[in-house]
């Protein structure tokens, strides 16, 4: 069973039909929408500031979400996929975005709707990634615009797949 821990008077709020892996850790001021999946060894640390997660978000294995005390928060829109071993520190990710495996997003970065952050990228503080674009590298830079419908379709497919994967674990209870 996932570790869900209150701190400083804040208790995580988990939406309906969410999958929380056995060793996921969710702490403090975390509010999660419906049909989300938080995978193995993932940590959502809402101890120093808030983490807000939309509907149908998947945060994959080994990812860590944290903020700066009184200075940054995390906001994640609907239908977002956060790849394996991603670090998000006080950033905003808008609807339908995809964050590639091993990426790091720093405080006050904004990833626009339907944007893609390539695997292994470092998105520096205060960087604004425009909707429907691909960014990658260390530090992350603009690579190209993508067809918004194509990006939306790809990103929603990944989000739907993770919703399906999470249901497999309910079947084996």
């Amino acid at each position: 069973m996932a570790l869900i821990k209150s701190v400083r008077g804040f208790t995580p709020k988990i939406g309906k039909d969410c999958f929380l892996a056995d060793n996921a850790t969710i702490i403090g001021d975390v509010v999660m929408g419906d049909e989300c999946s938080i995978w193995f060894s993932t940590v959502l640390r809402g101890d120093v500031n808030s983490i807000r997660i939309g509907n149908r978000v998947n945060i994959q294995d080994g990812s860590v979400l944290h903020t700066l005390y009184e200075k940054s928060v995390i906001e994640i829109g609907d239908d977002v996929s956060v790849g394996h071993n991603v670090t998000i520190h006080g950033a905003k990710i808008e609807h339908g975005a995809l964050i590639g495996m091993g990426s790091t997003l720093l405080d006050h970065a904004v990833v626009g709707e339907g944007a893609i952050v390539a695997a292994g990228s470092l998105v520096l503080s205060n960087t604004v990634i425009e909707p429907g674009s691909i960014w990658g590298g260390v530090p992350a830079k603009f690579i190209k615009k993508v067809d918004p419908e194509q990006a939306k379709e790809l990103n929603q497919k990944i989000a739907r797949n993770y919703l399906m994967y999470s249901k497999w674990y309910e079947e084996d209870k």
Side-chain angles (χ1 to χ4, degrees):
M1 172 180 269
L3 173 61
I4 300 173
K5 186 169 182 59
S6 298
V7 68
R8 294 182 35 229
F10 293 101
T11 299
K13 294 177 177 59
I14 312 299
K16 293 181 274 182
D17 299 319
C18 290
F19 167 74
L20 307 176
D22 293 344
N23 64 347
T25 302
I26 303 164
I27 301 169
D29 191 6
V30 176
V31 178
M32 185 183 313
D34 299 334
E35 298 183 309
C36 293
S37 58
I38 309 302
W39 291 86
F40 297 95
S41 300
T42 294
V43 178
L44 308 181
R45 252 186 74 199
D47 55 351
V48 301
N49 220 333
S50 65
I51 298 174
R52 300 293 179 262
I53 299 170
N55 299 308
R56 296 170 305 282
V57 171
N58 64 87
I59 303 176
Q60 298 169 24
D61 311 67
S63 293
V64 175
L65 280 63
H66 197 238
T67 63
L68 284 174
Y69 181 61
E70 297 181 340
K71 292 188 178 176
S72 68
V73 298
I74 292 176
E75 297 176 46
I76 300 177
D78 298 337
D79 301 303
V80 169
S81 292
V82 175
H84 308 288
N85 295 310
V86 167
T87 299
I88 301 172
H89 205 279
K92 179 178 183 177
I93 304 168
E94 296 180 353
H95 301 308
L98 171 65
I99 310 302
M101 294 183 284
S103 295
T104 299
L105 281 64
L106 297 178
D107 296 286
H108 309 291
V110 177
V111 178
E113 186 169 351
I116 297 171
V117 174
S121 298
L122 171 61
V123 179
L124 297 175
S125 294
N126 301 307
T127 300
V128 177
I129 295 177
E130 291 189 22
S133 62
I134 298 176
W135 282 54
V138 178
K141 297 194 180 329
F142 174 80
I143 295 173
K144 68 179 185 176
K145 291 293 270 183
V146 292
D147 175 339
E149 282 306 307
Q150 194 175 25
K152 181 179 179 181
E153 184 179 318
L154 169 69
N155 295 351
Q156 285 184 339
K157 179 181 179 185
I158 294 167
R160 281 191 308 271
N161 283 349
Y162 267 85
L163 182 57
M164 177 183 69
Y165 304 154
S166 70
K167 301 301 180 200
W168 294 347
Y169 290 83
E170 290 175 6
E171 295 169 5
D172 290 338
K173 283 184 181 178

